[in-house]
Amino acid sequence: MASPIAEPAVVTEPLRLYSYWRSSAAYRVRIGLGLKKLPYETVPVHLIRDGGEQHSEAFREANPQELVPVLQHGARLYRQSMAILEYLDETWPTPPLLPALARDRARARALAQTIACDIHPLNNLRVLQYLEHEWNAPQPERDEWVRHWITKGFTAFEALLDDNPATGEFCEGDAPTIADCCLVPQVYNARRFGVDMERWPTIARIERACLALPAFDAARPERQPDCPEAQRA
Amino acid sequence: MASPIAEPAVVTEPLRLYSYWRSSAAYRVRIGLGLKKLPYETVPVHLIRDGGEQHSEAFREANPQELVPVLQHGARLYRQSMAILEYLDETWPTPPLLPALARDRARARALAQTIACDIHPLNNLRVLQYLEHEWNAPQPERDEWVRHWITKGFTAFEALLDDNPATGEFCEGDAPTIADCCLVPQVYNARRFGVDMERWPTIARIERACLALPAFDAARPERQPDCPEAQRA
């Protein structure tokens, strides 16, 4: 295990994560919480059942965007997975989710955003629902749409990894950063849609290194309390 | 002018911004550079002409994602507008683009990402080109798609502004932050697609406050060297 081993952090106000087992944005935050060894309570928000609990009045008060994750820390609510990861890093700095130097931090953030800004938002549930219900796009076209943006994004991501000596055991150096917190959930998503990951050997290698760490393993969708029994295998 | 007035920053290595006048991601970075009073050279990348210069071999070496902006600082290249803004803030801290406290920084970042992750990526040129060329979606449907995601996003953004006493003259407090760097270009985009901004009075008020500042004014698309003469009026 390459990441520094942290003592469990001191958390004076409880942490609650509004999450859905298969949401890749929530998955990122679960990894971050795990790397910091922060104890938290999961509040499942079922994104499908009854039209989606994220659209309920109660949840809209927590997040007018009607999206998970939301992190509650004490009385305060934090939204947007990338902002939450930065908040975790600033509040509990060990182990860091970002490198020390500004230039390296920029690279880790840019890699993370390659996924968080340019792949994931296009393939989000609400977008696929729009394509299905507003445009009547059939399933094969929607799946092709998903694979298109993943393929485009991962091809660039792999080039950015291969082209740079800063790439180590993980995306940036030899400890996991926010880039890895984003990469692993996106690879999970890619597999769900039948994307062949063998095209990107560096991504595949880094995913394996990540999943060998307890924090990444515990954050997997199939380990979540709201994962249906049939999907745990 | 509410933001602290900075002396021109010391820049020992030159800054060059690969930009396109109407790219809203490049527009964000131009605002950040302007707020920091950082001198930089604009390298125009024409996103339309000849199929798009961002797809040229030369530009792909700068950014395998084939997207602007890219910031060159000395010999190094920085990608992804949000990562670039954080890099500017860490390298030249005055005036800050983020508040001092972690919880306030998280709010500014979350507002920024509401746009950078959940509105803009869906309405990007490459997405509209995919809808046009792969799906033969006619112009009115593509425009409706753009307006849909802007409307959804801005309605949540307005609620997040209205619901929080931290909202000041700008999105977070009384000085511009990365949230404002993202908001103003997105409002520009919304107008281009005929979205009525009067539905969101707080957003409209903050946009006016921003555009009154020289840094925001200088970053406008119509002030860029690569803006066609006919569009400058």
Side-chain angles (χ1 to χ4, degrees):
Chain A
M1 169 162 167
S3 71
I5 293 166
E7 292 298 308
V10 178
V11 182
T12 52
E13 296 185 292
L15 288 164
R16 304 174 78 197
L17 183 68
Y18 293 82
S19 175
Y20 179 62
W21 65 287
R22 211 148 66 165
S23 153
S24 90
Y27 189 175
R28 292 173 198 154
V29 174
R30 295 195 302 255
I31 296 167
L33 288 162
L35 287 168
K36 304 266 181 199
K37 299 199 178 179
L38 291 164
Y40 68 97
E41 177 197 349
T42 298
V43 183
V45 180
H46 201 298
L47 300 189
I48 312 288
R49 199 171 50 205
D50 300 331
E53 288 177 1
Q54 74 277 28
H55 305 305
S56 69
E57 212 178 306
F59 187 77
R60 278 212 315 273
E61 278 199 24
N63 189 3
Q65 274 206 286
E66 304 174 25
L67 295 171
V68 293
V70 173
L71 181 73
Q72 185 176 353
H73 181 207
R76 279 180 187 269
L77 298 171
Y78 296 89
R79 305 168 185 96
Q80 289 288 343
S81 61
M82 304 296 295
I84 295 171
L85 288 172
E86 298 263 0
Y87 175 75
L88 296 181
D89 212 38
E90 291 180 348
T91 308
W92 296 279
T94 310
L97 298 180
L98 285 167
L101 293 180
R103 67 181 196 204
D104 300 335
R105 295 162 74 82
R107 179 169 181 265
R109 286 189 178 112
L111 287 169
Q113 289 160 16
T114 298
I115 290 165
C117 299
D118 292 323
I119 302 179
H120 173 70
L122 292 157
N123 296 342
N124 216 343
L125 174 66
R126 62 185 195 144
V127 174
L128 299 179
Q129 286 176 337
Y130 184 97
L131 295 175
E132 180 180 0
H133 300 133
E134 303 299 319
W135 285 12
N136 299 313
Q139 174 98 42
E141 284 191 31
R142 300 197 310 268
D143 289 357
E144 186 48 40
W145 161 275
V146 168
R147 285 191 291 264
H148 173 80
W149 298 114
I150 292 174
T151 300
K152 236 178 148 46
F154 273 174
T155 300
F157 199 97
E158 180 86 3
L160 290 166
L161 292 176
D162 281 352
D163 195 33
N164 200 308
T167 304
E169 194 181 340
F170 298 96
C171 288
E172 167 68 36
D174 291 325
T177 65
I178 51 168
D180 306 284
C181 294
C182 290
L183 181 61
V184 166
Q186 188 58 65
V187 174
Y188 168 82
N189 235 322
R191 289 224 177 79
R192 251 182 90 192
F193 284 90
V195 175
D196 175 14
M197 289 303 304
E198 296 313 302
R199 296 178 53 181
W200 306 290
T202 310
I203 291 176
R205 166 180 73 70
I206 290 172
E207 189 217 14
R208 283 192 298 275
C210 288
L211 288 178
L213 300 181
F216 283 85
D217 186 62
R220 283 175 188 257
E222 57 272 24
R223 301 256 192 278
Q224 302 317 302
D226 56 332
C227 176
E229 207 52 56
Q231 310 268 2
R232 287 183 188 273
Chain B
M1 169 164 166
S3 72
I5 292 166
E7 292 299 308
V10 178
V11 181
T12 52
E13 297 184 293
L15 288 163
R16 305 173 78 197
L17 183 68
Y18 292 82
S19 176
Y20 178 62
W21 64 287
R22 210 147 66 165
S23 153
S24 90
Y27 189 176
R28 292 173 199 155
V29 174
R30 296 195 301 256
I31 295 168
L33 288 162
L35 286 169
K36 305 264 181 201
K37 299 199 177 179
L38 291 164
Y40 68 96
E41 176 196 351
T42 298
V43 184
V45 179
H46 202 298
L47 300 189
I48 313 287
R49 199 171 51 206
D50 300 332
E53 288 177 3
Q54 73 277 26
H55 306 305
S56 69
E57 212 179 306
F59 187 78
R60 279 213 313 273
E61 279 199 23
N63 189 3
Q65 273 206 288
E66 304 173 27
L67 295 171
V68 293
V70 173
L71 181 73
Q72 186 175 354
H73 180 207
R76 278 180 188 268
L77 298 171
Y78 296 89
R79 304 168 187 97
Q80 287 287 342
S81 61
M82 304 297 295
I84 294 171
L85 288 171
E86 298 262 0
Y87 175 75
L88 295 181
D89 211 39
E90 291 180 348
T91 308
W92 296 280
T94 308
L97 298 180
L98 284 167
L101 293 179
R103 67 180 194 204
D104 301 333
R105 297 161 72 83
R107 179 168 179 266
R109 286 189 178 113
L111 287 169
Q113 289 161 16
T114 297
I115 291 165
C117 298
D118 292 323
I119 301 178
H120 174 69
L122 292 158
N123 297 343
N124 216 344
L125 175 66
R126 63 186 194 142
V127 175
L128 299 180
Q129 286 176 336
Y130 184 97
L131 294 175
E132 180 180 0
H133 300 133
E134 303 298 321
W135 285 12
N136 299 312
Q139 175 98 41
E141 284 192 31
R142 300 196 312 267
D143 289 355
E144 186 48 39
W145 161 275
V146 169
R147 285 191 291 263
H148 174 80
W149 299 114
I150 292 174
T151 300
K152 236 179 147 46
F154 273 175
T155 300
F157 199 96
E158 180 86 3
L160 290 166
L161 292 177
D162 282 351
D163 195 34
N164 200 310
T167 304
E169 195 181 341
F170 298 95
C171 288
E172 167 67 36
D174 291 324
T177 65
I178 51 168
D180 305 284
C181 295
C182 290
L183 180 61
V184 167
Q186 188 58 65
V187 174
Y188 168 83
N189 234 321
R191 289 223 178 79
R192 253 183 89 191
F193 284 90
V195 175
D196 175 14
M197 290 304 303
E198 296 313 303
R199 295 179 54 180
W200 306 291
T202 310
I203 292 176
R205 166 180 74 70
I206 290 173
E207 190 217 14
R208 284 192 297 275
C210 288
L211 288 177
L213 300 181
F216 283 84
D217 185 62
R220 282 175 189 258
E222 56 272 22
R223 300 257 191 278
Q224 302 316 301
D226 56 333
C227 176
E229 208 51 57
Q231 311 266 2
R232 286 182 190 273

